[in-house]
Amino acid sequence: MCALGTKCSIVLNGHKERSLIVSAIKSVELGISEIKKPNKCTFDLILVLDSADEQTLELTQDAISKLSLQTSLTFVNYSDLGEARNYGVKYSNSDWIVFLDGDDLVGPNWLNTISENIDKIDPTTVYHPAYLIYFGNSSRIHHQCAFNELSNIDLIKLATVTNPWGSPLLAHKTLLLENPYERSDKLNHLGYEDWAFNRSTLDKGIRHYCLNDTFYLIRDRSESLSKITTSNYYFPIS
């Protein structure tokens, strides 16, 4: 279990989101401002820009210059979200990792719930928001919390046909180092790094659990990496 003053890195993965990444950064600042005292967790922000365009880079630099939050800006050229996530994990000096994509928004109570429960949660479990709220080109709510009651065997069966949980998660750094994301295989149309991660960890008996009443906002846009992956008929890697 975790002691008071636990460190947690928010790894924000950017690519070519342009002005949308500014909203993602601001949502982190808002989420931290909503944390109730006593704050059991110290957050820092790590931005990993992977093959980013110039506009995304300039807007990111301007946005983080206005933050009081401890922030690191790093650059990679993987052109692969899984590899970029792994880089952020290795770069972090924290005990825990939270992932945020550059076109999404942190739900206001997601970070507060993490802070309130950080001394109770299990470092061998992967945690997810209870609800994913989609906005933009479409509007819908994915109730991930429904899967809390399923057995590991049932979850493994489910994960063969659909991805039970989206990309946002909280996990211990050690767990993520031992279970790195796989690189997408574009030649053989194998992708969906988050789905592959969920499947491979379930196969190892690693538990996944949603923190009650938490939510995360996912921007549904036509040029997102997820849509590009789907348009190329990708299947999970593992």
Side-chain angles (χ1 to χ4, degrees):
M1 298 302 172
C2 304
L4 298 181
T6 299
K7 295 168 63 178
C8 183
S9 290
I10 301 165
V11 175
L12 196 164
N13 292 103
H15 179 53
K16 296 180 180 178
E17 292 81 8
R18 300 181 175 87
S19 62
L20 299 181
I21 200 167
V22 177
S23 297
I25 293 169
K26 288 182 177 179
S27 77
V28 171
E29 185 176 36
L30 176 61
I32 291 175
S33 73
E34 294 290 326
I35 295 175
K36 300 174 184 177
K37 296 186 182 300
N39 188 351
K40 300 177 184 178
C41 196
T42 301
F43 290 93
D44 69 290
L45 175 62
I46 299 173
L47 292 111
V48 182
L49 297 189
D50 183 10
S51 307
D53 56 32
E54 187 173 343
Q55 186 179 5
T56 299
L57 171 58
E58 291 177 353
L59 289 168
T60 299
Q61 290 175 321
D62 180 66
I64 65 175
S65 70
K66 302 170 183 175
L67 295 178
S68 58
L69 174 67
Q70 180 182 336
T71 305
S72 303
L73 178 59
T74 65
F75 310 95
V76 294
N77 287 294
Y78 297 121
S79 296
D80 184 87
L81 187 50
E83 293 277 20
R85 292 202 201 284
N86 294 337
Y87 181 88
V89 173
K90 293 176 183 177
Y91 187 92
S92 170
N93 291 317
S94 296
D95 308 289
W96 292 83
I97 306 292
V98 173
F99 284 126
L100 169 65
D101 287 342
D103 49 0
D104 295 339
L105 303 174
V106 171
N109 69 342
W110 177 224
L111 300 182
N112 179 62
T113 301
I114 291 171
S115 179
E116 287 185 336
N117 294 278
I118 200 72
D119 55 338
K120 306 171 188 173
I121 58 179
D122 178 8
T124 65
T125 296
V126 179
Y127 293 89
H128 304 272
Y131 304 97
L132 299 182
I133 301 176
Y134 289 80
F135 69 102
N137 289 347
S138 66
S139 299
R140 65 186 188 279
I141 299 176
H142 179 42
H143 297 256
Q144 302 191 127
C145 51
F147 304 127
N148 279 355
E149 306 304 320
L150 295 182
S151 68
N152 188 70
I153 292 176
D154 287 337
L155 285 169
I156 290 174
K157 292 177 181 177
L158 178 66
T160 61
V161 294
T162 190
N163 189 10
W165 307 281
S167 60
L169 58 77
L170 164 73
H172 198 274
K173 181 178 179 178
T174 300
L175 187 153
L176 293 172
L177 288 174
E178 293 175 349
N179 299 275
Y181 288 84
E182 296 185 56
R183 185 179 182 86
S184 295
D185 181 352
K186 297 178 181 178
L187 180 63
N188 294 303
H189 298 279
L190 299 176
Y192 291 113
E193 82 295 329
D194 54 332
W195 191 354
F197 172 82
N198 291 335
R199 287 180 57 172
S200 65
T201 49
L202 284 171
D203 286 343
K204 294 178 181 180
I206 294 173
R207 187 183 182 215
H208 289 248
Y209 189 81
C210 293
L211 295 177
N212 290 334
D213 301 322
T214 54
F215 62 95
Y216 176 101
L217 295 94
I218 294 183
R219 191 184 305 270
D220 183 4
R221 60 190 185 100
S222 57
E223 66 273 27
S224 70
L225 287 177
S226 177
K227 286 290 181 67
I228 293 171
T229 300
T230 301
S231 68
N232 285 287
Y233 305 101
Y234 277 35
F235 296 94
I237 302 162
S238 58

